[in-house]
Amino acid sequence: MTEAKQKLNLAEQKAKELFKAAEDRGLIVPGKSEKTLSEEIVSLARDVIGITQFWHKKIVRAGANTLHPFNGNPPDRVIQQDDILFLDFGPIFGGWEADLGRTYVIGNDPLKLKLKRDVETAWQDAKAWYGQQSSLTGAACFHYVTELAKRYGWEHGGEIAGHIVGPFPHEQLGDGNLGLDIHPDNHDDILLPGKDGNPRQWILEIHFVDKTNNIGAFIEQMLN
């Protein structure tokens, strides 16, 4: 394992510890706003994990807001009883980026529990499929994820299905080049090394939505 991969793994492990701490402390409960929960998680990151920086906006989405992709900015919403919600945080640990997304269901609504379970299982499906590829464009990977959503009976709600991570700030191509995103217009081979000759580390994100019932689920973590 390369030094870069070790550092990225550690950053992701710290992000997982953060989410687990939020669960263990009972922060993910109805009656508080998304903004409040986000602020509580940021405080927890600083006080318990030692994380003080995040490389992208901090997302807590509940109920109908779970339909929105990353670039959406829905109004702040109060978490309800029997709600579905997801977290998407990009903490920086030791100068290296993590990007972690998880879905939570408050209560026992069977449809919401199925949606959460399906998106998590689909992520594992996609990881296994990715591991079998010797050449793979960002567009082909995105297409696989959108078809996977249909196979599970949902739609894919994300504008992308992943991106690279690395030392902060990570590699940028500039000029609107989508070569570092799992995007339908990225026709580059995402398995090729970066411009420095080292392997790129990819994040896979899957966002399943049910527009009829106004709910979505999201999962995101490192592939390699």
Side-chain angles (χ1 to χ4, degrees), residues 5 8 12 123 130 136-138 141 161-166 173 178-183 186 188-194 199-205 221-224:
K5 181 64 185 302
L8 287 167
E12 182 167 276
W123 194 95
Y130 172 89
L136 179 65
T137 66
C141 189
H163 52 80
I164 67 160
V165 284
L173 297 178
L178 297 166
L180 302 182
D181 290 331
I182 299 175
H183 185 281
N186 177 10
D188 295 337
D189 189 342
I190 64 174
L191 302 184
L192 292 177
R200 289 183 171 126
Q201 306 297 326
W202 289 91
I203 292 283
L204 175 68
E205 56 184 80
Q221 62 189 33
M222 205 161 44
L223 261 174
N224 309 61

Side-chain angles (χ1 to χ4, degrees), residues 96-212:
W96 292 78
E97 302 165 345
D99 202 359
L100 195 69
R102 291 289 185 270
T103 296
Y104 303 87
V105 175
I106 300 171
N108 297 298
D109 184 288
L111 182 65
K112 292 168 184 171
L113 289 169
K114 182 180 187 302
L115 178 55
K116 175 183 185 295
R117 185 169 59 248
D118 283 355
V119 80
E120 291 170 349
T121 305
W123 194 95
Q124 296 297 332
D125 292 343
K127 179 182 180 182
W129 173 83
Y130 172 89
Q132 296 169 358
Q133 310 307 307
S134 57
S135 176
L136 179 65
T137 66
C141 189
F142 182 87
H143 177 71
Y144 175 85
V145 170
T146 57
E147 290 301 309
L148 194 59
K150 294 176 186 176
R151 193 187 316 165
Y152 276 89
W154 314 99
E155 294 181 59
H156 190 259
E159 297 166 339
I160 65 173
H163 52 80
I164 67 160
V165 284
F168 177 75
H170 62 242
E171 177 187 358
Q172 298 291 332
L173 297 178
D175 298 322
N177 191 313
L178 297 166
L180 302 182
D181 290 331
I182 299 175
H183 185 281
D185 293 331
N186 177 10
H187 301 289
D188 295 337
D189 189 342
I190 64 174
L191 302 184
L192 292 177
K195 59 186 180 184
D196 59 3
N198 295 319
R200 289 183 171 126
Q201 306 297 326
W202 289 91
I203 292 283
L204 175 68
E205 56 184 80
I206 300 183
H207 184 194
F208 283 1
V209 297
D210 176 350
K211 294 178 182 176
T212 300

